[in-house]
Each structure stands twice: as C-alpha cells, then as structure tokens.
Amino acid sequence: EAKAAGGGRWTLLDEDVRHRARRALRLVADLREALSRGAVDVHYQPIVRPGRPAQVLSLEALCRWTHPELGAIPPDTFIELAERANLVPALDAHVLAVACRDLATWRAAHAAGDLPLTPTHVAVNVSAVSLAAEGFAAGVRRTVAGAGLQLSDLCLEVTETALASDLRACRTVLEELRRDGARVAIDDFGTGYSSLAYLKDLPVDHLKVDRSFVRDLRTAVDGVQGGPARAVAAAVVSLARTLGLGIVAEGVETLEQDAVVRDLGCEAVQGWLYSRPLPREALAELLRGGGLLHPLPQGAGA
Ligand code: C2E
Ligand code: MG
Ligand code: MG
Ligand code: MG
C-alpha cells in the first residue's frame, strides 16, 4: 500500500519535472525565435547626477522580452535559460546593436538641435560567455562603427563572477577595448568574487554598488549614524576613490537612501527614485526636456 502511494507520488513529481522541463525548452525555442526576428526589445534606465532636479548622465540598456502568451518575462528568468542554451552571446550582441542604434539617433537629433541633451554613453551588460567568445572585441567594434559611434560612447558592464571565471581572457579583451575608449564597469559590486586583490589589476572605470547594499541604507539606526550598511557602502566608496574609479549607486528607491549615497560622495545614482527603465520614446521625451528628473519616492504618490 505504502509502496503504491509512494509510486504514485513519484509519478506526480515526475510529471512536474517533465512539465517544467518542457516549459523551459519551449521558452528557449521561443526566445531563439524572438531573437532571430529582433523581437527582444531594449529599455533604458537613466544614470543620473543626483540633485533637485537630477540630471541624466548616461543610460543602461536592459533587455525586455514580452512573450506572445506568457507576457513580460523578467531578464533574470530568461537569461538563466538563455545561458544554458548558449543564446546569451546572441542576446548581448542584439542589445548592443539596438543600444548603439538608439544612441546614434539621439546623437544625431542633438547635433541637429532637436535634443538639448545627449547621454555621455550607453552601458550594456556583457555576460561572461559573451566576453569569452571568439571575436567578441571585433564584433563590438563592428557594431559601434556601423552605428557611426565610437568606443567611447560605450560602457561594458561585467560582473565580478564573469571576471573571476576567466580573468586572463577577460582582461585581454577589456584592456583592448578600453585602450580605444570603451569604459568598463563592474556590475553588482560586492556580491560576487570576494577577493579585492584583483581590482587593482583590472582595466576598470566604474564600480556599481549592488542594490543589496543600498537597500539597507539609513541615515541613522538606533541613534547610530548609518549602521553597518552605511559602513560597508562607505568602505566601497572610499576604495573606489583610492583606486581612482567612478561610483554608481544602484537601486536607489528612497530619499533616505539617496541622502546617504550622496553624503558618501556617489556622483552617479541609478534607481526607481529617479526613473525606472524607460522605452525609447519615453527616454527621448526625457532628453527633449533637458534630462531633468525629480525624485519620486517609491510608494509615495504612485
Ligand atoms: P543589472 O545589470 O544589475 O541591472 C539593474 C537591474 O536593477 C535592472 O533589472 C533594473 O531594472 C533594476 N533596478 C534599477 N533600479 C532599481 C530600483 O530602484 N529598485 C529595484 N528593485 N530594482 C531596480 P532588470 O532590467 O530586471 O535586469 C536584471 C538583470 O538582468 C540585470 O541586472 C542584468 O544582470 C541582466 N540583464 C539585463 N539585460 C541584459 C542584457 O542585455 N544582457 C545580459 N547579459 N544581461 C542582462
Ligand atoms: Mg548592469
Ligand atoms: Mg547591477
Ligand atoms: Mg544584476
């Protein structure tokens, strides 16, 4: 009896696993198809100089996929699938091409006097497999030049994990592109490879302080100025300053977090307090208005 029940349970579990596997396979096939049609879109989140109002400095390009039946699927979900199916290099290349095309459009409008502001550069996320792929640097150069841009119009965001997985190969590629003007940022800084020793040898321009550190920032905790989260953030900022690196605080949602990161000396901030990632039309509208943003605390007013 018990055995039969157990058998039944196994069958159910089995079904569940099979169902999930089928769903994953289908998503991968659909993503491959969407990529081949260029149907994966790109939104842009402003990176701002904080203030009242804040001013757009640059943009981060973030991929957006709306599945025909399942609706919007967050990148964290499908990128993991895409990684397993080796679709990430194609995804990254597609996002780079779209981002370059859009930035070139805004540059041209700016030159024609139709946009008062153009971002200093656009940042794209580059996963470890893309970076390690044969011909990555040549592909980036081709795309950038094809859009009529220069490498200095581009920032490559890489994670510590990507760098650690194949440090030597990554170094060479990043060094080469950086020598010709590309910027390099370490994304989600503080969450990956924990040794700081590698930092001083890397061809890097900016550190992006991960959202998980920013989330816990308070102006004062139990009467103590800032508490442990602030101490960690302060250490990262001071490390960056010592190494001559720029700092971007990610995931700033509240006025309090904003006050702390500004007090620590972050010259650039990215977060919902200033703007969510925007479709290109909304972003163009923002640039048309001079790229000025007023902080809107999350949860207030919305
Ligand atoms: P990321 O590169 O660290 O990008 C920042 C993520 O934080 C974005 O999530 C952004 O929408 C979100 N974010 C920004 N401000 C706030 C805030 O104030 N609060 C909160 N809660 N979230 C905020 P998104 O767009 O869902 O992307 C997630 C991750 O997916 C990215 O993290 C990046 O690692 C990856 N990704 C996105 N686009 C691409 C791409 O084209 N290629 C690759 N390889 N990875 C990508
Ligand atoms: Mg990023
Ligand atoms: Mg990040
Ligand atoms: Mg991330």
Side-chain angles (χ1 to χ4, degrees), residues 36-276:
S36 73
R37 286 188 296 120
V40 174
D41 204 6
V42 179
H43 283 195
Y44 299 93
Q45 187 175 29
I47 296 170
V48 307
R49 180 172 57 232
R52 308 287 183 266
Q55 168 81 56
V56 174
L57 297 170
S58 59
L59 308 171
E60 177 172 5
L62 294 157
C63 64
R64 291 292 178 265
W65 182 32
T66 306
H67 189 277
E69 285 134 49
L70 303 170
I73 304 181
D76 283 329
T77 306
F78 71 80
I79 283 170
E80 199 187 305
L81 284 177
E83 254 159 17
R84 280 186 269 155
N86 197 29
L87 286 174
V88 170
L91 173 72
D92 285 352
H94 171 71
V95 171
L96 174 68
V98 173
C100 285
R101 190 194 69 203
D102 285 334
L103 183 62
T105 303
W106 295 322
R107 285 265 197 276
H110 179 65
D114 295 335
L115 272 189
L117 182 83
T118 173
T120 57
H121 61 268
V122 66
V124 295
N125 293 283
V126 179
S127 85
V129 277
S130 296
L131 206 55
E134 183 77 32
F136 172 77
V140 169
R141 287 176 190 281
R142 224 173 15 247
T143 303
V144 167
L149 297 175
Q150 312 203 312
L151 281 176
S152 56
D153 292 316
L154 188 67
C155 177
L156 303 171
E157 294 196 1
V158 296
T159 62
E160 295 165 87
T161 319
L163 291 171
S165 62
D166 198 346
L167 198 53
R168 201 178 261 278
C170 290
R171 256 196 81 103
T172 312
V173 170
L174 293 176
E175 246 160 25
E176 190 208 311
L177 289 171
R178 195 165 166 263
R179 198 186 50 223
D180 292 328
R183 298 156 219 248
V184 175
I186 300 197
D187 207 349
D188 305 342
F189 183 75
T191 59
Y193 191 59
S194 56
S195 164
L196 295 178
Y198 75 108
L199 254 190
K200 67 179 186 352
D201 300 320
L202 275 180
V204 163
D205 301 281
H206 310 284
L207 298 184
K208 299 189 77 175
V209 185
D210 191 66
R211 191 161 86 223
S212 57
F213 299 113
V214 172
R215 189 181 47 217
D216 298 329
L217 291 176
R218 302 278 182 282
T219 40
V221 178
D222 297 334
V224 180
Q225 182 68 19
R230 187 193 166 110
V232 172
V236 173
V237 172
S238 119
L239 175 71
R241 198 170 285 138
T242 307
L243 295 172
L245 305 176
I247 271 270
V248 181
E250 289 193 295
V252 172
E253 295 182 1
T254 68
L255 289 168
E256 194 173 19
Q257 292 160 353
D258 185 61
V260 177
V261 299
R262 290 171 70 187
D263 190 43
L264 292 175
C266 287
E267 65 268 33
V269 170
Q270 179 180 0
W272 294 350
L273 177 66
Y274 290 106
S275 174
R276 302 234 173 190

